[in-house]
Structures are given as C-alpha cells and as structure tokens.
Amino acid sequence: MRLGVLDVGSNTVHLLVVDAHPGARPLPAHSHKAELRLAQLLDENGAIGPHGVDRLIGVVHEALQAAEDKGVEELLPFATSAVREASNADDVLARVQTETGVQLQVLTGAEEARLTFLAARRWFGWSAGKLLVLDIGGGSLEIAYGIDEDPDAAVSLPLGAGRLTSAWLPDDPPATEDIRALRRHVRAEIARTVGEFSRFGAPDHVVATSKTFRQLARIGGAARSADGLYVQRELKRQSLEAWVPRLAGMTTEERAELPGVSDGRAAQLVAGALVAEAAMDLFGVETLEICPWALREGIILRRLDHMGSD
C-alpha cells in the first residue's frame, strides 16, 4: 500500500510518501516539505500565535493535497517538540483537526527516541550489536541505546538546534561569550544523562540521524546526498572540533555557502554543532555513522509491523 507520513516538526512540515508492505523495506515515492519553524513562532508565554497556527493549517492543507495527488491510502500524521511543548498545544491540535480533518498524534520525547532507534536498528541490522543513536532536531536532542529493537534507555533533552539558536545566539555571527554560555549549558544537560547509558556498557556502533548531523558530516568531507542512500557517511569528532570555532566565526550567509548546508538551516548550524560535539565528547565517541533512516521511517516501520500482525 502507499503510506504517507506527515511530520510536523520544529523546523519543517514534511510529507514522506512510501510504497510499503509488511516484511519489505519502505520505498520512497514522494517528498513534500515546507519550512515553518514553529519553534521560533512561540510568543513570550510559550504559545504558538494565531499567525503561526494559520500557517500550520495552510501547510497541512498543502500536504493533504500532495498526499491525495500521489494516491496515499493511509496518512500517519504526528507532531514533535514544537507542538508538544507549546502552552496552547490542545487548542492548536483542535483547530488543526477542525479545519483540516487531520488528528495529529503528539509524540513524547521518549517515543521519538524509541522510534528513531527502531529505524536505525532496521537499517543497520542485528550485526551492528549494541547501538547508540543520536538525533538533533529543531526542538530536542534524542539519545537511545540498546541491543534489541526497543532501546534499553531513551531520553529526550530540550537541546534542539533551532530552540537553542533562538534562546542563546541572537547575534550573527554569534558573540563569543554567548557561544561559551551555550556550550556550558549544553554540556551540563547532556552530562546529567550519561550515567543512565554508561551502566549498559560501551556501544558497538554509534549512529546519528537528522539534517544537522548530515550537514556536519558533509562539511567534514562525507559524500553528497546525491551519491545515494547506501554510501557510508561518517562524522569524526576531530573534524567536528576543528569546525566548531570556524562555524562560530561565520555569518549565516557564509555558512550557507558551505557544501551541503541549506539556507534554512545555516543559522542554527552552530548550535547544532555544539550539541553534536558535546554528545560525542561526553559519550566518548570518536567516529559515528550517519543513518539515512530516522523518525519518519520509524513511524512507517511500526505501522507495517502492526499491519503484519493484524
């Protein structure tokens, strides 16, 4: 069947259409994206304002039209941290449902981490052994660890690249003292969780998902996305540590000129790099591998599993 996953994230609203059936890998058929930046549309009370809600409804309507055009039989709509943490989340969800007919499932941070872990496990297989999976979104950082398809530990931290950029790095390029303050904050937040994972022992394989990690790997010399899904892409901590001060010294416009960095993500790449560097350092990771599958694929895989058991 043809499935559609509608992902209302902190940065983008992304419709991924796949051809899928139980026991087979999902084959991408179509992708439709709109940059919304919900995490940056919150007011001083933490609510998504009327303009933001109107834009969200408009984008959902566009995604529904795209899904219909592509023959989607079932739509799996979900929302992550920007909607989850909005102080008016219930009102936003009700309005979206009333005006579009779409009932967004709001995932918890732990669910995000677990579903992303499932996608990584299926991608790398059992031979990868104990997996540590890192995912930097616009609103949160997810970390998961385990040897099975369901991780032994999974946490979500409010360390998304968009969120941190808005709250901590107002200048372009960012001020040195702001970079230092954000670095301290990020490391303190991640350090609190390390013990929860270290008691399970060292991972056999460390992987990362998300646009932030892909961009950091690309500017460090990894293959282009145009080279295909199956090319191995790595990010080395040594490379990342060399790039962090260089990125911090650039303007958003200059970062957007780097290979693989999109105009829409260039502003938040410094914050994302600080989170990636801290996570790799505090978890003792020298090299990680980029996983092409992430949360959307995890949602699809879980749905296919349920179909197969019906």
Side-chain angles (χ1 to χ4, degrees):
M1 68 186 300
R2 181 157 278 196
L3 290 174
V5 179
L6 181 61
D7 173 1
V8 177
S10 297
N11 285 314
T12 59
V13 175
H14 187 172
L15 171 72
L16 175 65
V17 178
V18 300
D19 291 320
H21 65 267
R25 67 186 174 91
L27 294 172
H30 179 69
S31 178
H32 174 88
K33 292 181 190 176
E35 286 206 352
L36 193 56
R37 305 208 174 281
L38 278 178
Q40 296 175 26
L41 295 175
L42 302 178
D43 63 23
E44 63 274 9
N45 299 314
I48 301 173
H51 173 62
V53 180
D54 289 343
R55 285 180 60 192
L56 172 58
I57 288 168
V59 169
V60 170
H61 274 303
E62 291 171 13
L64 286 174
Q65 186 62 57
E68 181 183 317
D69 291 346
K70 296 301 176 183
V72 168
E73 298 173 60
E74 182 179 349
L75 187 68
L76 308 172
F78 70 94
T80 56
S81 65
V83 173
R84 179 172 70 234
E85 294 164 17
S87 60
N88 61 335
D90 290 343
D91 293 339
V92 173
L93 294 169
R95 232 192 106 192
V96 169
Q97 184 170 5
T98 298
E99 299 195 27
T100 70
V102 171
Q103 186 172 0
L104 289 171
Q105 176 193 2
V106 180
L107 299 179
T108 67
E111 285 174 329
E112 279 191 61
R114 290 179 179 281
L115 287 163
T116 302
F117 184 89
L118 171 63
R121 169 57 74 197
R122 293 281 177 91
W123 181 267
F124 289 105
W126 299 113
S127 62
K130 292 178 284 187
L131 278 181
L132 175 64
V133 179
L134 306 171
D135 177 42
I136 302 171
S140 58
L141 162 70
E142 275 70 50
I143 308 168
Y145 174 101
I147 195 165
D148 297 317
E149 292 202 331
D150 193 39
D152 296 310
V155 300
S156 178
L157 301 174
L159 297 177
R163 176 202 296 265
L164 295 178
T165 301
S166 298
W168 293 80
L169 304 178
D171 299 328
D172 185 26
T176 303
E177 59 271 22
D178 290 340
I179 292 280
R180 275 204 207 97
L182 177 55
R183 185 178 187 274
R184 284 194 300 271
H185 169 70
V186 165
R187 285 174 177 259
E189 287 283 314
I190 295 174
R192 289 193 196 109
T193 72
V194 171
E196 184 176 341
F197 292 88
S198 59
R199 63 193 177 92
F200 294 106
D204 298 308
H205 200 57
V206 182
V207 302
T209 69
S210 76
K211 189 84 167 183
T212 294
F213 274 114
R214 287 200 300 275
Q215 290 182 339
L216 292 170
R218 178 72 185 101
I219 64 175
R224 303 169 304 157
S225 57
D227 293 334
L229 283 182
Y230 300 103
V231 177
Q232 185 178 19
R233 294 171 175 87
E234 292 183 340
L235 174 62
K236 295 186 181 298
R237 183 165 49 146
Q238 185 177 11
S239 164
L240 182 57
E241 288 174 345
W243 268 103
V244 167
R246 294 174 64 183
L247 292 170
M250 294 178 178
T251 63
T252 297
E253 190 175 346
E254 288 168 337
R255 277 180 239 121
E257 297 296 320
L258 294 170
V261 178
S262 62
D263 289 346
R265 301 293 181 108
Q268 61 190 50
L269 191 58
V270 175
L274 287 168
V275 174
E277 180 190 35
M280 292 183 75
D281 186 11
L282 291 165
F283 282 97
V285 177
E286 294 301 326
T287 303
L288 55 74
E289 188 172 352
I290 305 300
C291 179
W293 281 3
L295 178 57
R296 284 181 289 274
E297 287 77 12
I299 295 270
I300 293 165
L301 292 166
R302 183 177 68 175
R303 178 69 187 98
L304 292 176
D305 288 347
H306 288 166
M307 285 171 58
S309 63
D310 289 344

